[in-house]
Amino acid sequence: MATFSVKDVLNGKAPSDTTVTVQGWVRTRRDSKAGVSFLALTDGSCFGTLQIVVPNTLGNYDSEVLHLTAGASFAATGNIVPSQGGGQSFEMQAESVQVFGLVEDPDTYPIQPKPHSMEFLRENAHLRARTNIMGAVARVRHSIAQAIHRFFHEQDFYWVNTPILTASDCEGAGEMFRVSTLDMMNFPKTPEGKPDFSKDFFGKETFLTVSGQLNVETYCMALSKVYTFGPTFRAENSNTSRHLAEFWMIEPEVAFADLKQNADLAEAMLKYVFTAVLNERADDMAFFEERVEKGVIAKLQNMIAKPFVRMDYTEAVNILQNCGQKFEYPVSWGTDLQSEHERYLAEKHVNGPVVLQNYPKDIKSFYMRMNDDGKTVAAMDILAPGIGEIIGGSQREERLDVLDARMEEVGLAKEPYYWYRDLRRYGTVPHAGFGLGFERAVSYITGVGNVRDVIPFPRTPGNVRF
Amino acid sequence: MATFSVKDVLNGKAPSDTTVTVQGWVRTRRDSKAGVSFLALTDGSCFGTLQIVVPNTLGNYDSEVLHLTAGASFAATGNIVPSQGGGQSFEMQAESVQVFGLVEDPDTYPIQPKPHSMEFLRENAHLRARTNIMGAVARVRHSIAQAIHRFFHEQDFYWVNTPILTASDCEGAGEMFRVSTLDMMNFPKTPEGKPDFSKDFFGKETFLTVSGQLNVETYCMALSKVYTFGPTFRAENSNTSRHLAEFWMIEPEVAFADLKQNADLAEAMLKYVFTAVLNERADDMAFFEERVEKGVIAKLQNMIAKPFVRMDYTEAVNILQNCGQKFEYPVSWGTDLQSEHERYLAEKHVNGPVVLQNYPKDIKSFYMRMNDDGKTVAAMDILAPGIGEIIGGSQREERLDVLDARMEEVGLAKEPYYWYRDLRRYGTVPHAGFGLGFERAVSYITGVGNVRDVIPFPRTPGNVRF
């Protein structure tokens, strides 16, 4: 007996001349007065459910079928026939039903077939994948991740996994988590009374990485086109809908590339990913459109259709200063743009995505390439309507003397970066790259606003359960 | 002027009727008496180098070209022509050469065009991707990772990233790293003098995950077919060629699957991955065959060609006890098999891969499904010639009462596992999964024996530099 997924059955892949088996969980059960039960079966393979028509002539109809409540698991065997009702293509006329597991105390089962608050679902994170919304998020996440790997693979990039455990603090990009195997209550001390990390696992103070970029540059300087796709960590004590302590980043790095090629790559990647999701997950996207963010599909289609406008930071400041719009934070050359400014540029001024380029050096990182004006660096942020910054990147400073001067200016010691500086001593080349926060992308694509609801297991400062 | 990668040029993808540009790093330079220099150009896009023929008539021949030493970076523009010499398909007749970066003090540049010891390359990890062997490893790593994602995607699995930061110790699978943001020198204490983790970032003692399996089961119970592919951590203080503190794992989990289907999936996955690597990275595999492990290609072909033999643990013990072979460790029913036993079974007895099944419960984890004999569990290890265990998995215990009895037997508290137990209270189903250590797979496929040489940035207990 061949087994089929709900997805394949709904797509007409099951044969019509023989019985097949499907299996999964009950979303709803409805019993007709005519002695027939209708089970909506989900197996998570797609958004839709398969209607199973169960006649009361089955031997276990009274003893088992009538006890199938939301969340119970079963297999059904029967013929697949075109559905009589509207809303779905096929249904099953069951000849037998095998129950795997009922729901203990159905009245208190957390995942009822009704809307739940997102907060409630976070509290029941181990079961929330069974809801429409979290199932859809999980499938779209997968589709995005696959599209990213595929995009880079097709363009001959190599995936490099940079270290999670690191002794380097990568430009002080954020608060870091310390990793240790020593006893907190008896931490070894140096004669000066400082923590003696030489006794720790790696013989040095060790952290969780905040970015793989500096590391991956070493591979870029050998393989030319590389990317990371892995977890990064920030110990920021902010319980907001936009920050996660643990999040995945995609960081491509390309040798012989300048800022323009970098922006072209980022634009092509975003369009590729949006296109893939709209094609592959039309079912889930229709749900997000209807229930989460009206217009989310058009938003993505608009991003795909339009060329991304390129604009210098200096021009953007002029626009913002002269647009007549009141902002909470004033704008002046040399200050970082706030979300309200980024969104004004993308939503009001351009009405589409904007690549903002050539920022003042003092608001950007030391490794970004100094422009000839001595004031700006070859940095870029991509601003998208509805979210603001979605990608940040730059051409890297490949000239050792200029890099050294910048490191001195910002107060970085040279020794810990000996390996990064070596790359500039031995066959240096122009190169550029960017970073895309994976969860931010998932949030943007699905319209699910709280990043804690686009990761499998939410956790907040002060609360970790698993 | 179109730019081409070395890979595309060698594959004949560059036009012959116009000039093109290539760019990368010098592997070797040879100057002929006839006034022509031959530069071997690598850009990491493939194993091979492209020969660039540079006439001494170029304006910067004396001033620049003759200073191009191993590791220096340059671009060359010219016509691609069929190569006169043996060994490669095409070469370039350069019309111009642009130098990007020379090598500072070529005599002390670590990566000379000669063999280096692996230990030396570990010490120079930021440059070792420029060697033949580490470049080949990086490309094969990529090919394996892509093949794994593609395999599962084609079979309608969804990728789930389970948390790295975790409060759960997952069956005590290994020594864990603790993660904290508190001050080691003034760690807060409870009134009882114990560490007060309630003050820490997540309000609880937090670790790096050792496995995503228990977590991913929650998604399996909603999406049916899921897999993880992410980093895991073990703080084992063993500086061996087989252990890493940080390594990536692939952990599929399938609802409605039993042990046989689990083994079938693992076998199909390994064969898919080996086939992909042999097809996609023939250049790098030829290098491993010649320089690293004679016979490595036949080893993989043999794994692809043969059906994996299935054998019960009990039968294996009988075979080992009666085979006449002397082992360092004696074999008896109930003891864990050692590497020497596993390799004997795969290499001598079967001469091919073996799926060993149904192990004594006392040497396996609490979550593995109890068999009807009450003595063994539905566990499986896949043993491969030349390495021993390469995959470990099991059918999971889906019956709450049996699970609870096992947890009590091994002394696990129920409360921290409430979420894991909930999965058995609400629509439980049979399910099964396995784990593949990514680095172990890379080591097996490339023949590179030390796992520190198949990761981008090696680190050992007592030594972390980046």
Side-chain angles (χ1 to χ4, degrees), chain A residues 7 25 43 45 73 126 141-142 153 156 158-159 161 164-167 201 224 246 422 427-428 459 462 466, chain B residues 7 25 43 45 73 126 141-142 153 156 158-159 161 164-167 201 224 246 422 427-428 459 462 466:
Chain A
K7 173 188 160 196
W25 293 267
D43 64 2
S45 61
S73 53
H126 60 303
R141 267 182 88 83
H142 167 83
H153 182 66
D156 290 334
Y158 294 108
W159 174 68
N161 62 308
I164 315 289
L165 299 169
T166 179
F201 190 85
S224 296
E246 172 183 337
D422 266 6
T428 190
R459 41 212 50 198
F466 304 97
Chain B
K7 173 189 160 195
W25 293 268
D43 65 1
S45 61
S73 53
H126 60 303
R141 265 182 89 81
H142 167 83
H153 182 66
D156 290 333
Y158 293 109
W159 174 68
N161 61 307
I164 315 289
L165 298 169
T166 179
F201 191 85
S224 296
E246 172 184 338
D422 265 4
T428 190
R459 41 210 52 197
F466 303 97

Side-chain angles (χ1 to χ4, degrees), chain B residues 108-135:
Chain B
T108 63
Y109 177 54
I111 309 298
Q112 300 291 333
K114 60 161 197 182
H116 300 92
S117 77
M118 296 307 271
E119 182 52 36
F120 175 83
L121 292 180
R122 268 171 241 143
E123 290 295 309
N124 290 279
H126 60 303
L127 301 171
R128 70 176 181 165
R130 304 176 177 203
T131 62
N132 274 334
I133 187 166
M134 293 308 300

Side-chain angles (χ1 to χ4, degrees), chain A residues 291-354:
Chain A
R291 298 293 185 86
V292 177
E293 181 187 332
K294 189 64 69 189
V296 66
I297 293 174
K299 177 181 82 179
L300 299 180
Q301 286 169 334
N302 189 38
M303 290 275 284
I304 296 166
K306 288 200 180 180
F308 290 14
V309 168
R310 316 290 163 109
M311 185 187 292
D312 272 4
Y313 166 89
T314 302
E315 186 188 345
V317 169
N318 282 335
I319 290 167
L320 291 166
Q321 284 176 329
N322 298 308
C323 67
Q325 173 100 3
K326 278 264 175 255
F327 294 114
E328 191 182 342
Y329 295 90
V331 180
S332 66
W333 200 96
T335 58
D336 221 349
L337 298 186
Q338 302 295 320
S339 189
E340 56 175 341
H341 309 133
E342 295 176 340
R343 294 187 57 170
Y344 177 85
L345 290 168
E347 291 165 21
K348 298 279 168 50
H349 186 77
V350 171
N351 188 23
V354 189

Side-chain angles (χ1 to χ4, degrees), chain B residues 3 46 123 159 195 205 209 224 231 257 305 315 343 382 394 412 451:
Chain B
T3 300
C46 61
E123 290 295 309
W159 174 68
E205 191 172 15
T209 185
S224 296
E315 184 188 346
R343 295 187 57 168
I382 299 191
S394 71
L412 283 177
V451 282

